[in-house]
Amino acid sequence: MTDAPDTPPARRNASSSLRRALGILMYLAEDRGHPHGVTLTDLAEGLGMSKSTVLRLVAPLRDVRLVDQDPESGRYRLGPQNALLGQAYL
């Protein structure tokens, strides 16, 4: 099936939520001098997002253990599932 001549092609890879969630993972993966993780404020300010947006995007990442949150400090860091992804890549 092809697009009609006057119809613009469908945008590919336009999922801004997915891109922002991946940005959270990349932010956590980079060495930022926070060996114990980063705060919600760190994430929001570092990524230029509101805290509510970060919380919304982090929730599914936490569900699948790509992001962990320290129960005492509330700081976020990469979760153990990232090791599985890395191992699968290698």
Side-chain angles (χ1 to χ4, degrees):
M1 177 182 238
T2 61
D3 291 329
D6 58 344
T7 304
R11 287 185 57 195
R12 297 181 77 177
N13 301 320
S15 175
S16 61
S17 292
L18 177 57
R19 288 180 185 276
R20 290 183 291 177
L22 291 171
I24 290 170
L25 290 175
M26 295 307 297
Y27 187 93
L28 293 174
E30 293 176 4
D31 179 18
R32 299 191 180 277
H34 300 288
H36 302 292
V38 297
T39 65
L40 176 61
T41 300
D42 292 335
L43 280 171
E45 289 177 358
L47 295 168
M49 298 181 205
S50 69
K51 289 180 183 180
S52 62
T53 297
V54 171
L55 285 173
R56 179 178 55 81
L57 294 169
V58 161
L61 297 173
R62 287 182 64 205
D63 290 344
V64 296
R65 304 287 314 272
L66 287 170
V67 172
D68 275 350
Q69 184 178 21
D70 183 274
E72 293 179 20
S73 70
R75 291 177 172 267
Y76 295 94
R77 60 180 165 257
L78 289 179
Q81 287 299 93
N82 291 285
L84 179 66
L85 291 175
Q87 185 179 19
Y89 172 75
L90 294 174

